[in-house]
Amino acid sequence: MNSYNDNLHSSVVKSLSDQESALNNAEAQLEASIFSLYYAQGAYITAYENLEVDNRSYVYKQNVNKAIIRDSDISTNVLASANQGNTHVAQSISDTAVAAANVQIATNAIVKLASDVGSIYSIVNAADFDTEIYDQAYDAYALMNDTAYLAERTSEKSMLASSYVAEVSASTVAEKAASTDASVKNLLSVLDADFKAISEKLAVDNTNLAAASVNEKVAEGKVEDLEVVNDAAKEGYDLSNKELNLDLVVSLSTDSGMHNDVKVSFEQYTSPFPTTNPTTTDSNGNEIAVDGYPVEAYYIMVVSESKKNIFAISDAEGLITNADTSRFVKVAASGYSPGDPINETLTLNGDGALKDSDGNPISLGDNYVVFVLAVLETGYKKAINNFDDYITAPSAVFALTNQLKAPKAKSIKVTAKETAQDSISLKDGSSKTISVEKQEGQTLGFSIKQIDTGDKALDMQYRCMFLPDNSEFVKGLLTNQKLKDIEHYSEKESSSETQKELSQLKKKIEELTGELNKEEGNDDISNLLEVLNSSIEGKSENEIETLKKSLTGWDSVLDKFNLKKIANKEEAKVLELLHLTIELEIKEIQLIENAVESTLTEERPGFFFNLDIAEQVSAGNYILASPSKKNKTNYSAEIIDGTTDNFGNRLIPGNKYIPVVLAISGSDDPDEVQQFTAALSNFANTNSFYYNYEINS
């Protein structure tokens, strides 16, 4: 390479390297700010939930405090009444005893008088029987006997009254009333202190909520600023890559499953020195084009990231000279029309896979870059008097991984073990008491068919998390379209890439259909495609993939579609046409599913959450799901007392939560873990549930 080309190439490489570094730095800062925002929003939500719980506690303790104040007033009145009663009972005992004693004295006197009157009556009866004085003595005697009897009865009753009054336990009642009143007063003191404490805590909660809101807003602003910086860095890198590096792009599949391939796309090399003569002759005298399409062939090479800064054109040419085809992929330039982009699929894993530039097998999870070497036609080199070939700068770094699968939103459900009727107050805009079923234990369940790993056993973890469905009280956080833009940035890029792939597939199908029909001059191929499309209609992506794999031979194709053998058709072309048609259908299904998945009908959960954050949720803040013994595609996890949300706060009875499932490798080997990309269920479209309650009305 001459000094001019060498300096130009070095400048291009340095420019792209600097921009890639700036992009990586911007992405790292954005990711860090997103985590800061997540934790700031977590602090805000925690402060709000603390305020919510303390508000409920405040209302409860306020009611208890009011009740104990009423009880204290009653106990005070009871104590006063008991003391008054004790005083009066004591006085009654004394007075009754005195009265009984006086009555007894009077009774004794009356009895003695009755005895004397009886003696007088006996004397008169003996001396003056049946005289007037006898009659008077008898009357006096009878009256005195009655009086004595009544006096004895009165004495008896007065003694009983004294005895009964003495038995009244007014003093014990007074003592118990005093003890009860003291206990109530102590309880009032404790509850009053507790009520004052919760009142003070409410003030602190409000202060904490205000501070958390300020911190969240600062974090939100930082994310928005860094997102603009990241967009600018990405746009700058993309523009430079397009203008200076043939728009070299390596695309990884986002479909779930075991991945062996990557797609490499780049623009064709065009001549920087168009000549007035559009053709020239090579060393053999053959006429060749030199204006804008001077490339003989392209060579695609995969290089370890650690070697990208030292991999030079001499290394690439050395690989070609040694003809080690396991280290590069050759693309004939003549197979593409001028101006068309070049797309190649590289198999990097499995049998016959491409190796890196050092001859080592591609390792899943390790970082690599791609170089493209354009070997120019000899005649063109002579025409411009420059015999250097062209090599691109390295592509953006990529790593081949296997994509895990998360359960569909509609399959994730929370059910109760046991229920009982209850009534609670839920905060949903305004407080109201509603009819509910209180659930004694809940179970999160979902179904999923894991990716096909062949004979290799896959150690999986399904981490179940519960996001607070706080959209009603986190208004003003980073939500709405801005949140969607950041959260679904990669999805929009993927959708754009899928649209590009769809256009390329349609173009290939049209070209192949035209070629095959032109050869035979009939509609056999069109009929074949019509039958194929009718057999595809209504099938799922997995069913269509199975159909695609079954197209392994010409006879099987004919048998499957019940068509006569189409003469003079190239078997490989027809099979390629069928495969491309099926692939087009699969891509269209994926595009529709992605559109549905990325449509947020609500601002849920109201805070920032994505795959990267889900992977960093600590072990104490999620529960693991276990497969069913009867059906290995069904998984469940028990929600028990003490289960926390993703922020580490205990689930609050009566509050709404969104269940989300993270599918991630459970291997203890870091090298094996990096071979897989985790997957997160679509929480935005997953039904929420009330913890420990099922709403009836």
Side-chain angles (χ1 to χ4, degrees), residues 30-31 33-35 37-39 41-42 45 216 223 467 477-479 482-488 604-614 646-647 683:
L30 177 60
E31 184 176 350
S33 68
I34 285 173
F35 275 99
L37 173 62
Y38 168 74
Y39 289 118
Q41 291 181 329
I45 290 170
E216 187 278 331
V223 167
L467 312 184
L477 296 188
L478 185 59
T479 55
K482 195 64 181 175
L483 178 59
K484 299 174 192 176
D485 287 345
I486 298 175
E487 261 189 320
H488 298 278
R604 304 175 68 215
F607 58 86
F608 196 94
F609 194 78
N610 60 12
L611 175 61
D612 291 336
I613 292 174
N646 56 297
F647 295 114
F683 52 85

Side-chain angles (χ1 to χ4, degrees), residues 315-336:
D315 299 311
E317 291 173 337
L319 295 178
I320 298 171
T321 302
N322 293 332
D324 188 351
T325 56
S326 66
R327 302 192 194 187
F328 61 81
V329 171
K330 180 179 179 180
V331 181
S334 59
Y336 294 87

Side-chain angles (χ1 to χ4, degrees), residues 473-654:
F473 70 75
V474 292
K475 303 293 186 184
L477 296 188
L478 185 59
T479 55
N480 300 322
Q481 192 58 44
K482 195 64 181 175
L483 178 59
K484 299 174 192 176
D485 287 345
I486 298 175
E487 261 189 320
H488 298 278
Y489 187 76
S490 60
E491 282 85 343
K492 288 189 288 184
E493 286 188 330
S494 175
S495 176
S496 175
E497 183 65 29
T498 304
Q499 290 281 15
K500 185 177 179 181
E501 291 176 357
L502 283 175
S503 299
Q504 294 171 356
L505 282 171
K506 289 177 181 178
K507 185 176 180 180
K508 285 183 180 180
I509 290 172
E510 289 175 1
E511 290 175 353
L512 272 173
T513 304
E515 290 176 12
L516 291 168
N517 277 332
K518 186 177 180 181
E519 290 177 11
E520 195 61 24
N522 57 42
D523 293 330
D524 285 345
I525 293 299
S526 298
N527 292 336
L528 180 61
L529 292 179
E530 184 177 344
V531 175
L532 175 62
N533 286 326
S534 65
S535 66
I536 289 174
E537 188 175 357
K539 285 186 169 58
S540 67
E541 181 181 334
N542 289 336
E543 290 172 332
I544 297 175
E545 278 284 8
T546 302
L547 175 61
K548 182 179 177 181
K549 292 176 182 178
S550 71
L551 303 181
T552 56
W554 181 244
D555 292 335
S556 66
V557 175
L558 297 177
D559 292 340
K560 187 161 190 67
F561 297 110
N562 194 25
L563 295 174
K564 65 181 182 178
K565 186 169 183 179
I566 305 173
N568 301 324
K569 297 292 193 296
E570 295 182 39
E571 178 179 338
K573 282 189 176 181
V574 175
L575 287 176
E576 182 184 2
L577 178 61
L578 296 176
H579 281 204
L580 287 175
T581 304
I582 291 176
E583 188 175 347
L584 176 64
E585 179 68 21
I586 292 173
K587 289 295 180 185
E588 288 178 340
I589 290 174
Q590 291 171 352
L591 192 64
I592 293 172
E593 287 183 348
N594 289 340
V596 172
E597 288 288 308
S598 61
T599 300
L600 298 182
T601 54
E602 299 181 67
E603 296 173 5
R604 304 175 68 215
F607 58 86
F608 196 94
F609 194 78
N610 60 12
L611 175 61
D612 291 336
I613 292 174
E615 290 181 293
Q616 300 304 318
V617 171
S618 59
N621 299 343
Y622 62 78
I623 56 179
L624 295 177
S626 303
S628 168
K629 294 181 179 179
K630 295 181 179 179
N631 189 342
K632 297 300 182 181
T633 62
N634 292 336
Y635 286 76
S636 63
E638 301 300 323
I639 306 174
I640 60 175
D641 289 341
T643 299
T644 63
D645 63 16
N646 56 297
F647 295 114
N649 303 319
R650 292 186 63 169
L651 301 187
I652 302 173

Side-chain angles (χ1 to χ4, degrees), residues 112 154 218 273 283 325 524 539 602:
K112 186 174 186 306
T154 300
V218 172
F273 305 109
S283 57
T325 56
D524 285 345
K539 285 186 169 58
E602 299 181 67

Side-chain angles (χ1 to χ4, degrees), residues 109-126:
I110 291 171
V111 170
K112 186 174 186 306
L113 179 59
S115 176
D116 292 343
V117 170
S119 297
I120 293 171
Y121 171 72
S122 296
I123 294 172
V124 171
N125 183 42

